[in-house]
């Protein structure tokens, strides 16, 4: 039996390319629609989340994450896990991939695919809202497509924004979110906010808004005005409608109708900007099918290194 490779974070990341990943995500959505399913197991405050996807022609992936809130006090990361990738033809295990590697590249790559199609190509000012690990991944991914852009970060905690700026030369720090939003061509937000941080009245013609952080039914990063002013796109109708507050709450309250959502990635031809002045908004919902597409891309690059 052939040895099953384990692809660790640092060595795996060294062979990856952001533009190549977005091309792989686009190609994955040209295949038959994914079958997906999530399961949760609990022991007190501890959680095991397993997300599975099967795409005919691409294979099967199961990504499991353990969330142990007590770990940091013991010097151990709170979130751990891994992804098993199985062959499409015979179901044989092909690789085990580091959980954090798949999640980082899947999440930022998901948003970057939309930005490549919806953001103005001449965008020169990119605002990152949130100075966590995902904010750093967004800086790397967006820089691959917009290498001449000026990046700015805003964060609730100034200390975390300063730490991020110290790590990334040229990154500016915004102290006033409104003025930073008004000045940006692209706003990419990755926060844990339950109350909208970004107001629709602040948005300017021609902007692209990328929303990553709000993943629960009670979470929002933008208000209703922002949703109504923008042409709205999602990565998957199946993993956003009925699941994520950013989309579901405006639908439930009648602020928008279902047809306000222009397209998801299974209709990539409609991911287009119709004018230079329109505001586009993309909701990144994630999903196990994107983990599968990403891990398949990772394995392909690992084999060709």
């Amino acid at each position: 039996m052939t040895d099953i490779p384990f692809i660790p974070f640092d060595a795996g990341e060294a062979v990856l390319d952001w533009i190549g990943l977005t091309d792989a995500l686009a190609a994955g959505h040209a295949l038959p629609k994914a079958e997906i399913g999530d399961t949760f197991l609990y022991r007190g405050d501890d959680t095991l989340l397993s997300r599975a996807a099967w795409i005919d022609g691409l294979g099967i992936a199961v990504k499991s994450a353990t969330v142990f809130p007590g770990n940091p006090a013991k010097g151990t990361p709170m979130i751990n896990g891994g992804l098993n990738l199985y062959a499409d033809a015979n179901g044989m295990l092909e690789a085990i991939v580091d959980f954090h590697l798949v999640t980082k590249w899947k999440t930022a790559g998901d948003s970057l695919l939309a930005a490549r199609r919806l953001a103005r190509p001449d965008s020169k000012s990119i605002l990152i809202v949130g100075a966590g690990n995902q904010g750093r991944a967004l800086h790397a991914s967006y820089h691959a497509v917009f290498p001449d852009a000026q990046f700015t970060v805003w964060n609730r905690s100034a200390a975390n924004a300063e730490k991020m700026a110290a790590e990334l030369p040229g990154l500016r720090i915004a102290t006033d979110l409104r003025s930073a939003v008004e000045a940006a061509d692209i706003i990419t937000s990755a926060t844990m906010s339950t109350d909208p941080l970004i107001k629709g009245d602040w948005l300017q013609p021609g902007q692209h808004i990328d929303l990553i952080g709000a993943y629960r039914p009670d979470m929002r990063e933008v208000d209703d005005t922002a949703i109504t002013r923008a042409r709205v796109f999602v990565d998957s109708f199946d993993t956003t409608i009925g699941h994520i507050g950013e989309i579901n709450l405006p639908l439930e309250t009648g602020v928008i109708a279902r047809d306000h959502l222009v397209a998801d990635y299974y209709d990539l031809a409609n991911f287009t900007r119709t004018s230079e002045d329109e505001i586009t908004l993309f909701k990144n919902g994630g999903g196990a099918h994107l983990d599968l597409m990403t891990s398949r891309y990772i394995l392909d690059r690992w084999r060709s290194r």
Side-chain angles (χ1 to χ4, degrees):
M1 181 177 176
T2 303
D3 289 340
I4 305 301
F6 168 69
I7 304 176
F9 187 94
D10 290 337
E13 187 162 62
V15 302
L16 303 183
D17 169 77
W18 288 108
I19 294 175
L21 171 60
T22 59
D23 290 343
L25 294 177
H29 284 89
L31 296 172
K33 191 174 182 181
E35 295 287 337
I36 59 176
D38 294 349
T39 61
F40 294 83
L41 298 176
Y42 303 97
R43 185 189 63 187
D45 293 333
D46 302 333
T47 303
L48 168 64
L49 163 62
S50 293
R51 313 187 79 174
W54 190 336
I55 299 174
D56 187 20
L58 198 65
I60 305 165
V62 180
K63 187 175 82 168
S64 296
T66 57
V67 184
F68 280 51
N71 277 3
K74 305 171 186 175
T76 304
M78 179 171 65
I79 301 174
N80 296 279
L83 181 143
N84 289 350
L85 181 63
Y86 302 91
D88 182 63
N90 56 20
M92 297 291 290
L93 180 64
E94 288 189 277
I96 301 170
V97 189
D98 181 90
F99 169 88
H100 300 286
L101 177 66
V102 176
T103 301
K104 172 184 174 178
W105 281 75
K106 180 278 294 280
T107 305
D110 184 1
S111 286
L112 190 63
L113 175 57
R116 287 184 68 188
R117 292 169 179 259
L118 297 175
R120 296 196 328 269
D122 63 348
S123 295
K124 296 297 184 184
S125 175
I126 300 176
L127 172 65
I128 301 170
V129 181
N133 289 335
Q134 197 56 54
R136 290 160 171 79
L138 292 167
H139 180 275
S141 61
Y142 273 90
H143 187 267
V145 174
F146 304 93
D148 298 324
Q150 172 63 59
F151 285 81
T152 302
V153 64
W154 178 91
N155 193 69
R156 287 186 191 274
S157 164
N160 286 343
E162 291 167 1
K163 182 179 178 182
M164 182 171 168
E167 296 171 11
L168 301 171
L171 179 65
R172 296 176 179 173
I173 299 173
T175 56
D176 179 67
L177 181 57
R178 176 172 185 163
S179 60
V181 168
E182 291 174 343
D185 297 318
I186 298 171
I187 299 104
T188 177
S189 183
T191 72
M192 300 287 284
S193 180
T194 53
D195 295 318
L197 288 169
I198 299 168
K199 310 301 183 184
D201 289 339
W202 303 348
L203 302 184
Q204 303 298 309
Q207 287 180 323
H208 174 65
I209 318 301
D210 169 33
L211 303 177
I212 297 166
Y215 61 89
R216 296 196 316 245
D218 62 332
M219 298 175 84
R220 302 265 322 251
E221 293 189 292
V222 301
D223 64 7
D224 286 344
T225 302
I227 294 290
T228 57
R229 289 190 64 195
R231 293 181 70 233
V232 179
F233 301 78
V234 300
D235 54 9
S236 169
F237 292 134
D238 292 342
T239 60
T240 52
I241 297 174
H243 301 280
I244 291 176
E246 205 81 76
I247 298 299
N248 215 45
L249 291 173
L251 285 171
E252 288 180 342
T253 57
V255 168
I256 59 170
R258 171 63 179 76
D259 61 7
H260 190 72
L261 307 180
V262 179
D264 72 359
Y265 278 157
Y266 283 103
D267 185 17
L268 267 173
N270 276 322
F271 269 68
T272 59
R273 174 175 286 275
T274 61
S275 75
E276 289 296 302
D277 290 338
E278 77 177 2
I279 299 167
T280 56
L281 185 150
F282 173 72
K283 177 53 196 164
N284 177 327
H289 60 303
L290 295 163
D291 291 313
L292 169 54
M293 295 173 193
T294 301
S295 60
R296 176 60 64 189
Y297 169 74
I298 292 171
L299 179 59
D300 288 346
R301 291 299 295 260
W302 182 260
R303 286 171 168 169
S304 64
R305 73 194 192 283

